[in-house]
Amino acid sequence: MARRRQKIGEILAGWGIVKQDALPEALEYASEHGRRIGEALTELDLCNEEDVTKALATQFGLEYIDLDKNIIPHASLDLIPADLIKRHMVLPVEKVGNRLKVVITDPLDLETLDLLRFRLATEIQPVLAPATKVKDYINRFVDTTGDELSQTMKSIDNAGADLPEDIEVKSGTGDEDSDAPIIRLINLMIGEAVRSRASDIHIEPMSDRVRVRYRIDGVCLVRDDVPKNMQAAVTTRMKIMAGVDIAERRLPQDGRIKMKIGGEPIDFRVSSCPAYHGESIVLRILRPESANVGIEALGFESENYEQFQRIIRRPNGIFLVTGPTGSGKTTTLYAALQELNRPDKKIITAEDPVEYNFTGMNQCQVREEIGLSFSKILRAMLRQAPNIILVGEIRDREVGDVAIQAALTGHLVFSTLHTNDAPSAITRLIDMGIKPFLVASSIQAIMAQRLIRLICPDCRTEDPAPDRFVLRLLGLSDEVIGDHKIQKGAGCARCSNTGYRGRQGIFEMLQMNTELRELAFNRSPANLLRKAAVASGMRTLLDDGKLKILRGVTTPEEVARITQEEGLVDSEAE
């Protein structure tokens, strides 16, 4: 029988560092504040960080290293790129054969260990040291200014002050060209963005440089500036990889790139757009796992979750998801379809473009250049006897009419619409020219959503002085907050010192009832529809955000950033 691994508290109690009767208090503190037991013991001053790290080393059978007494040779620090050392809080100690000894701070961080194995193509032997000491050591001895990507840019820049406009860049994305400087630069840029959890890479020409930004958790962060003389080569390489015309610089173009990053196949949707200082290029990173998050991970509160589950199991009608670009509408609809994707159901989708491929679904790509539009695909769908239909977006009256016809003839239709809130979707459809009685009778529910950043779990801490203006803006009075503690992220290596890591949705679920159908039939304005929806139990985006603040999931500043307009309207109404 496998031997049971000792717990941290048991180890420290056995060493006489922590008293046995103090452990229940630490466990309760850890549960209440979302901490690990080691962090709880440290915060309660029952032991220090060094004791916890030694206990972790004992628990996992790892070597403990004292960085105060062990100086790592400077040559060893070059075994791992400086950007990886800083981002993942690791230190290379020595390499023997194909095995690299690396100082880590968390033995459960298997993602970092796998990343190091892949990037360095070597076996990793982890040893433990306290996070504070590792951070201090990095700040004192590691030069993090010369990471691999920046060094590559500098080497290309130094190689020639003026690269010609018609620079030749070989085609292909394989290893055969990986030694070419420009190709190496682009591959490093794409690889780094994927590993940084970025959703987009923005390459933006300016008067004196080319700015590179990554969008991480919905926020653009400047990565570096590419020298201006490299602009033509970078643009040409991107266009070759995307399979578009490299000679066309006056018109927007769209393409796709398929690459393997870390052994995983990843698609990139590429868009080039002529701008004042040259072509701006954006790569949208399409990860397969992004569309397989599951309904539970979307961020529903229990009431909205049950409502959502009931709605998507209706036999017919339209379910609309609304919100701006990048608010997670497609991910939500894919999660619903994955839940319903069973052998006894026929699911057909019309998308522009098809971003993710799913087994068991019939996915149709809109191709306007040959006349294959949303409306034409929809009409063909109805002759395919589907149970469930997904329309990527209701853009005009023609698509809306066919979608409503499908809903009224016994099909369950999912689609998206660009509106700021759920009630506005009704008035938007009527403004398109769709008859009010058809809107009122076919729509089952409308859900508006936004994505908010989550507090990083590794550096979550209580906010001792939350911004009173933001709390007042959101309507979070002392009475509303009560015994809840406002949380924030202190900033750590795992979240790139932003305090946030990952995103979840906040939702506004409008379920149609007799009163709302009557208001829609009478062409009532959105403000009356909104009042009736709230009166019937609809929780607004702002209210859903408040719940997540009180649960310590996100910060008041993040909810105010996303729902500030609604918050100001609500405050004025009061």
Side-chain angles (χ1 to χ4, degrees), residues 291-309:
N292 289 307
V293 295
I295 294 176
E296 295 84 357
L298 294 176
F300 286 114
E301 299 297 327
S302 58
E303 185 180 332
N304 279 346
Y305 177 79
E306 292 170 5
Q307 209 171 3
F308 185 82
Q309 287 282 8

Side-chain angles (χ1 to χ4, degrees), residues 549-560:
I549 292 171
L550 298 178
R551 289 202 293 109
V553 171
T554 190
T555 62
E557 289 77 11
E558 182 65 11
V559 173

Side-chain angles (χ1 to χ4, degrees), residues 303-554:
E303 185 180 332
N304 279 346
Y305 177 79
E306 292 170 5
Q307 209 171 3
F308 185 82
Q309 287 282 8
R310 286 197 302 271
I311 290 165
I312 66 174
R313 284 170 170 76
R314 293 278 180 90
N316 54 59
I318 295 180
F319 177 41
L320 289 176
V321 180
T322 76
T325 301
S327 59
K329 302 186 298 293
T330 303
T331 301
T332 297
L333 289 179
Y334 278 150
L337 291 183
Q338 284 289 79
E339 184 89 357
L340 302 172
N341 189 11
R342 299 290 182 269
D344 61 330
K345 301 284 187 184
K346 183 175 178 70
I347 301 175
I348 305 181
T349 75
E351 304 172 63
D352 183 20
V354 174
E355 294 186 350
Y356 303 100
N357 185 39
F358 293 96
T359 304
M361 298 184 200
N362 300 274
Q363 296 175 266
C364 303
Q365 168 80 51
V366 171
R367 298 180 64 188
E368 296 285 357
E369 68 274 12
I370 62 171
L372 188 60
S373 61
F374 270 121
S375 57
K376 189 164 286 187
I377 293 175
L378 270 170
R379 288 191 174 91
M381 280 181 180
L382 297 180
R383 295 191 290 272
Q384 295 272 317
N387 301 105
I388 299 166
I389 294 172
L390 167 66
V391 184
E393 181 186 348
I394 295 179
R395 297 178 176 175
D396 51 41
R397 175 181 175 178
E398 187 178 11
V399 176
D401 281 336
V402 181
I404 286 175
Q405 179 189 345
L408 294 176
T409 52
H411 304 87
L412 180 61
V413 180
F414 294 100
S415 191
T416 69
L417 203 61
H418 288 280
T419 62
N420 287 328
D421 59 7
S424 299
I426 295 173
T427 55
R428 174 72 186 278
L429 291 172
I430 294 172
D431 288 343
M432 282 183 185
I434 300 171
K435 293 181 173 58
F437 77 89
L438 291 175
V439 174
S441 58
S442 63
I443 291 179
Q444 295 292 345
I446 305 166
M447 186 175 77
Q449 72 174 70
R450 301 288 190 278
L451 291 177
I452 56 169
R453 292 182 293 172
L454 305 179
I455 298 172
C456 174
D458 294 313
C459 61
R460 180 189 283 114
T461 185
E462 182 182 337
D463 189 348
D467 190 320
R468 286 291 165 185
F469 172 76
V470 175
L471 294 180
R472 190 166 62 252
L473 179 68
L474 298 176
L476 285 171
S477 62
D478 291 338
E479 291 76 17
V480 174
I481 295 173
D483 295 331
H484 297 93
K485 304 294 183 184
I486 303 297
Q487 303 285 314
K488 68 173 183 177
C492 65
R494 291 295 302 281
C495 63
S496 302
N497 291 313
T498 62
Y500 298 98
R501 184 175 172 85
R503 289 191 292 174
Q504 270 189 0
I506 55 173
F507 303 94
E508 182 175 277
M509 183 80 75
L510 182 154
Q511 191 161 359
M512 295 295 283
N513 56 27
T514 304
E515 183 184 2
L516 287 168
R517 293 187 197 281
E518 187 174 335
L519 287 171
F521 180 77
N522 293 323
R523 296 175 179 262
S524 299
N527 62 330
L528 291 181
L529 288 163
R530 185 172 184 81
K531 285 181 181 178
V534 171
S536 65
M538 181 185 80
R539 182 187 295 138
T540 66
L541 288 168
L542 179 60
D543 289 337
D544 202 38
K546 287 181 190 178
L547 289 177
K548 288 178 169 59
I549 292 171
L550 298 178
R551 289 202 293 109
V553 171
T554 190

